Amino acid sequence: MYSLFDEIASNPYPGRGIVLGQSPDKNHAVAVYFIMGRSENSRNRIFISEKDGIITKPFDEKKVTDPSLIFYQPVKILGNKTIITNGDHTDAIYKGMDQQLTFEQCLRNCSFEPDAPNYTPRISGIIKIDATGQHYAMSILKSDNGSPDSCQRFTFAYDNPTPEYGHFIHTYIGDSNPLKSFCGEPKKISILDDIDLFADKIWKNLNEENKISLWVRYINIKNLEYKDIIINKNK
């Protein structure tokens, strides 16, 4: 059991992170996605709300030097499913699941990012809410210890999760050169009932210099209605 706030406060550069879980009152499925950046190009981003999710956009169009791997749709809704990723594999999951493929099958043709020497992992999560309750899964596609030729694929599934808890996965284990990929299972963490308090505490504990944007969603398990909070450092 980990404290989400301690985990992000003690790591100056977890990179991009996903949290999935359920609120203590059992009423809401909870999803979190945040991005961080070290370069000017990476830091020149904001989250924008769309009718079926959110997108990343440049804060200042004139400062964009390389849009690849930077601008994408990290959150998208497909019926009773909410898809969250750190890249363009959002579309691969969306299209695959729309054709009745499994979460793992959707990611079979995806790999880690081609950003040598870091080879940033592609992380993703999906929440499904149906008559039996809430279910979620997380995935990480990562290089084998920095090898550009070997992709390791890990999927973690959680059926009817325990209220009050969630799981946290992120791209990097710390700030280094080259960056080292997350390893092990997603970390079990606590969830709060209050979305405003939860979002505020996450934002305050992310490294001030490197944090860019945060998105938090609480989905009503009974009717799929949701509330979003978006916090952008660039304003």
Short mmCIF file of all heavy atoms in Angstrom, two decimals, residues 52 73 76-79 81 83 85 88-103 105-107 109-110 126:
data_model
loop_
_atom_site.label_atom_id
_atom_site.label_comp_id
_atom_site.label_asym_id
_atom_site.label_seq_id
_atom_site.Cartn_x
_atom_site.Cartn_y
_atom_site.Cartn_z
N ASP A 52 -16.00 13.94 -25.88
CA ASP A 52 -15.78 12.52 -25.61
C ASP A 52 -14.46 12.27 -24.89
O ASP A 52 -13.93 11.16 -24.92
CB ASP A 52 -15.83 11.71 -26.91
CG ASP A 52 -14.74 12.10 -27.90
OD1 ASP A 52 -14.16 13.19 -27.71
OD2 ASP A 52 -14.48 11.33 -28.84
N GLN A 73 -4.78 12.58 -28.06
CA GLN A 73 -5.99 12.53 -27.23
C GLN A 73 -5.80 11.48 -26.15
O GLN A 73 -5.91 10.28 -26.42
CB GLN A 73 -7.23 12.21 -28.07
CG GLN A 73 -8.51 12.22 -27.24
CD GLN A 73 -9.79 12.23 -28.07
OE1 GLN A 73 -9.76 12.09 -29.27
NE2 GLN A 73 -10.91 12.42 -27.40
N LYS A 76 -10.66 9.14 -24.02
CA LYS A 76 -11.74 9.00 -24.99
C LYS A 76 -12.78 8.03 -24.45
O LYS A 76 -12.43 7.04 -23.79
CB LYS A 76 -11.18 8.49 -26.33
CG LYS A 76 -12.06 8.77 -27.53
CD LYS A 76 -11.28 8.54 -28.82
CE LYS A 76 -12.09 8.96 -30.03
NZ LYS A 76 -11.31 8.83 -31.29
N ILE A 77 -14.06 8.30 -24.72
CA ILE A 77 -15.15 7.46 -24.24
C ILE A 77 -15.68 6.60 -25.38
O ILE A 77 -15.89 7.09 -26.49
CB ILE A 77 -16.29 8.31 -23.66
CG1 ILE A 77 -15.82 9.08 -22.42
CG2 ILE A 77 -17.50 7.44 -23.30
CD1 ILE A 77 -16.85 10.04 -21.88
N LEU A 78 -15.91 5.33 -25.09
CA LEU A 78 -16.56 4.42 -26.02
C LEU A 78 -17.68 3.71 -25.27
O LEU A 78 -17.45 2.74 -24.55
CB LEU A 78 -15.56 3.40 -26.57
CG LEU A 78 -16.14 2.32 -27.50
CD1 LEU A 78 -16.72 2.93 -28.77
CD2 LEU A 78 -15.06 1.28 -27.86
N GLY A 79 -18.89 4.22 -25.40
CA GLY A 79 -20.04 3.63 -24.69
C GLY A 79 -19.84 3.69 -23.18
O GLY A 79 -19.71 4.76 -22.60
N LYS A 81 -17.23 2.58 -21.63
CA LYS A 81 -15.79 2.44 -21.39
C LYS A 81 -15.11 3.80 -21.46
O LYS A 81 -15.42 4.62 -22.33
CB LYS A 81 -15.16 1.49 -22.40
CG LYS A 81 -15.79 0.11 -22.46
CD LYS A 81 -15.16 -0.72 -23.55
CE LYS A 81 -15.85 -2.06 -23.73
NZ LYS A 81 -17.20 -1.90 -24.32
N ILE A 83 -11.28 5.30 -21.85
CA ILE A 83 -9.92 4.92 -22.24
C ILE A 83 -8.97 6.06 -21.89
O ILE A 83 -9.24 7.22 -22.20
CB ILE A 83 -9.85 4.65 -23.76
CG1 ILE A 83 -10.83 3.54 -24.15
CG2 ILE A 83 -8.42 4.29 -24.18
CD1 ILE A 83 -11.14 3.50 -25.64
N THR A 85 -4.70 7.02 -22.03
CA THR A 85 -3.36 6.62 -22.42
C THR A 85 -2.43 7.83 -22.45
O THR A 85 -2.88 8.97 -22.35
CB THR A 85 -3.30 5.96 -23.82
OG1 THR A 85 -3.18 6.97 -24.83
CG2 THR A 85 -4.53 5.12 -24.11
N ASP A 88 -0.81 8.21 -28.81
CA ASP A 88 -1.80 7.98 -29.86
C ASP A 88 -2.39 6.57 -29.84
O ASP A 88 -3.26 6.25 -30.65
CB ASP A 88 -1.21 8.29 -31.23
CG ASP A 88 0.03 7.46 -31.56
OD1 ASP A 88 0.31 6.49 -30.83
OD2 ASP A 88 0.70 7.79 -32.56
N HIS A 89 -1.94 5.71 -28.92
CA HIS A 89 -2.57 4.39 -28.83
C HIS A 89 -3.97 4.46 -28.22
O HIS A 89 -4.66 3.45 -28.17
CB HIS A 89 -1.68 3.39 -28.06
CG HIS A 89 -1.16 3.85 -26.75
ND1 HIS A 89 -0.45 5.01 -26.57
CD2 HIS A 89 -1.23 3.28 -25.51
CE1 HIS A 89 -0.12 5.14 -25.31
NE2 HIS A 89 -0.58 4.11 -24.64
N THR A 90 -4.40 5.65 -27.80
CA THR A 90 -5.82 5.84 -27.46
C THR A 90 -6.68 5.39 -28.63
O THR A 90 -7.67 4.67 -28.46
CB THR A 90 -6.11 7.32 -27.15
OG1 THR A 90 -5.27 7.78 -26.11
CG2 THR A 90 -7.58 7.50 -26.73
N ASP A 91 -6.29 5.80 -29.84
CA ASP A 91 -7.07 5.47 -31.03
C ASP A 91 -7.03 3.98 -31.34
O ASP A 91 -8.03 3.41 -31.77
CB ASP A 91 -6.55 6.26 -32.23
CG ASP A 91 -6.77 7.76 -32.07
OD1 ASP A 91 -7.76 8.15 -31.42
OD2 ASP A 91 -5.96 8.54 -32.60
N ALA A 92 -5.88 3.34 -31.10
CA ALA A 92 -5.78 1.90 -31.35
C ALA A 92 -6.73 1.12 -30.43
O ALA A 92 -7.39 0.17 -30.86
CB ALA A 92 -4.34 1.43 -31.14
N ILE A 93 -6.79 1.54 -29.17
CA ILE A 93 -7.69 0.88 -28.22
C ILE A 93 -9.14 1.15 -28.59
O ILE A 93 -9.99 0.24 -28.59
CB ILE A 93 -7.40 1.35 -26.78
CG1 ILE A 93 -5.98 0.95 -26.37
CG2 ILE A 93 -8.42 0.75 -25.80
CD1 ILE A 93 -5.53 1.55 -25.05
N TYR A 94 -9.45 2.39 -28.91
CA TYR A 94 -10.82 2.78 -29.27
C TYR A 94 -11.30 1.98 -30.49
O TYR A 94 -12.39 1.38 -30.46
CB TYR A 94 -10.86 4.27 -29.56
CG TYR A 94 -12.25 4.81 -29.85
CD1 TYR A 94 -13.03 5.36 -28.83
CD2 TYR A 94 -12.78 4.77 -31.14
CE1 TYR A 94 -14.30 5.85 -29.09
CE2 TYR A 94 -14.04 5.26 -31.41
CZ TYR A 94 -14.80 5.80 -30.38
OH TYR A 94 -16.06 6.29 -30.64
N LYS A 95 -10.50 1.95 -31.56
CA LYS A 95 -10.90 1.26 -32.78
C LYS A 95 -10.99 -0.24 -32.56
O LYS A 95 -11.91 -0.91 -33.05
CB LYS A 95 -9.91 1.57 -33.89
CG LYS A 95 -9.95 3.02 -34.36
CD LYS A 95 -8.86 3.30 -35.38
CE LYS A 95 -8.85 4.78 -35.78
NZ LYS A 95 -7.74 5.07 -36.74
N GLY A 96 -10.06 -0.79 -31.81
CA GLY A 96 -10.07 -2.23 -31.56
C GLY A 96 -11.26 -2.67 -30.72
O GLY A 96 -11.93 -3.66 -31.04
N MET A 97 -11.54 -1.93 -29.66
CA MET A 97 -12.65 -2.32 -28.79
C MET A 97 -13.99 -2.09 -29.49
O MET A 97 -14.96 -2.80 -29.22
CB MET A 97 -12.59 -1.55 -27.47
CG MET A 97 -11.32 -1.81 -26.68
SD MET A 97 -11.48 -1.52 -24.91
CE MET A 97 -11.79 -3.16 -24.31
N ASP A 98 -14.03 -1.14 -30.41
CA ASP A 98 -15.24 -0.94 -31.20
C ASP A 98 -15.49 -2.12 -32.13
O ASP A 98 -16.61 -2.35 -32.58
CB ASP A 98 -15.10 0.36 -32.01
CG ASP A 98 -16.43 0.85 -32.54
OD1 ASP A 98 -17.46 0.67 -31.84
OD2 ASP A 98 -16.46 1.42 -33.65
N GLN A 99 -14.43 -2.91 -32.40
CA GLN A 99 -14.53 -4.12 -33.21
C GLN A 99 -14.51 -5.38 -32.34
O GLN A 99 -14.22 -6.47 -32.81
CB GLN A 99 -13.39 -4.15 -34.22
CG GLN A 99 -13.42 -3.00 -35.21
CD GLN A 99 -12.19 -2.94 -36.09
OE1 GLN A 99 -11.29 -3.79 -35.99
NE2 GLN A 99 -12.11 -1.95 -36.96
N GLN A 100 -14.78 -5.20 -31.04
CA GLN A 100 -14.91 -6.30 -30.09
C GLN A 100 -13.60 -7.00 -29.77
O GLN A 100 -13.59 -8.15 -29.32
CB GLN A 100 -15.93 -7.33 -30.58
CG GLN A 100 -17.29 -6.76 -30.94
CD GLN A 100 -17.91 -5.95 -29.82
OE1 GLN A 100 -17.98 -6.41 -28.68
NE2 GLN A 100 -18.36 -4.73 -30.12
N LEU A 101 -12.46 -6.33 -29.98
CA LEU A 101 -11.19 -6.89 -29.55
C LEU A 101 -11.01 -6.68 -28.06
O LEU A 101 -11.60 -5.78 -27.46
CB LEU A 101 -10.03 -6.24 -30.31
CG LEU A 101 -9.98 -6.42 -31.82
CD1 LEU A 101 -8.75 -5.73 -32.39
CD2 LEU A 101 -10.01 -7.89 -32.22
N THR A 102 -10.16 -7.50 -27.43
CA THR A 102 -9.86 -7.30 -26.02
C THR A 102 -8.85 -6.16 -25.87
O THR A 102 -8.22 -5.73 -26.84
CB THR A 102 -9.25 -8.57 -25.41
OG1 THR A 102 -7.97 -8.81 -26.00
CG2 THR A 102 -10.16 -9.78 -25.64
N PHE A 103 -8.70 -5.69 -24.65
CA PHE A 103 -7.74 -4.63 -24.33
C PHE A 103 -6.34 -5.02 -24.80
O PHE A 103 -5.64 -4.24 -25.46
CB PHE A 103 -7.78 -4.40 -22.81
CG PHE A 103 -6.94 -3.26 -22.31
CD1 PHE A 103 -6.95 -2.02 -22.91
CD2 PHE A 103 -6.14 -3.44 -21.18
CE1 PHE A 103 -6.19 -0.97 -22.41
CE2 PHE A 103 -5.38 -2.40 -20.67
CZ PHE A 103 -5.40 -1.17 -21.30
N GLN A 105 -5.49 -7.29 -27.07
CA GLN A 105 -5.44 -7.41 -28.53
C GLN A 105 -5.31 -6.04 -29.20
O GLN A 105 -4.61 -5.90 -30.20
CB GLN A 105 -6.69 -8.13 -29.04
CG GLN A 105 -6.72 -9.62 -28.74
CD GLN A 105 -8.04 -10.25 -29.10
OE1 GLN A 105 -9.09 -9.61 -29.05
NE2 GLN A 105 -8.01 -11.53 -29.48
N CYS A 106 -5.95 -5.05 -28.63
CA CYS A 106 -5.89 -3.70 -29.19
C CYS A 106 -4.47 -3.15 -29.20
O CYS A 106 -4.10 -2.35 -30.06
CB CYS A 106 -6.78 -2.75 -28.39
SG CYS A 106 -8.54 -3.09 -28.49
N LEU A 107 -3.67 -3.57 -28.23
CA LEU A 107 -2.32 -3.04 -28.06
C LEU A 107 -1.24 -3.91 -28.72
O LEU A 107 -0.05 -3.58 -28.64
CB LEU A 107 -2.00 -2.90 -26.57
CG LEU A 107 -2.81 -1.82 -25.83
CD1 LEU A 107 -2.71 -2.02 -24.32
CD2 LEU A 107 -2.33 -0.44 -26.22
N ASN A 109 -0.21 -4.33 -31.71
CA ASN A 109 0.63 -3.68 -32.72
C ASN A 109 1.25 -2.38 -32.24
O ASN A 109 1.84 -1.64 -33.03
CB ASN A 109 -0.18 -3.43 -33.99
CG ASN A 109 -0.58 -4.72 -34.69
OD1 ASN A 109 0.19 -5.68 -34.73
ND2 ASN A 109 -1.80 -4.75 -35.22
N CYS A 110 1.12 -2.09 -30.95
CA CYS A 110 1.72 -0.89 -30.36
C CYS A 110 3.00 -1.27 -29.62
O CYS A 110 3.21 -2.44 -29.28
CB CYS A 110 0.75 -0.22 -29.39
SG CYS A 110 -0.82 0.28 -30.14
N ILE A 126 -8.15 1.39 -18.82
CA ILE A 126 -9.53 1.40 -19.30
C ILE A 126 -10.46 1.07 -18.14
O ILE A 126 -10.19 0.17 -17.34
CB ILE A 126 -9.73 0.41 -20.47
CG1 ILE A 126 -11.15 0.52 -21.01
CG2 ILE A 126 -9.38 -1.02 -20.08
CD1 ILE A 126 -11.34 -0.09 -22.38
#
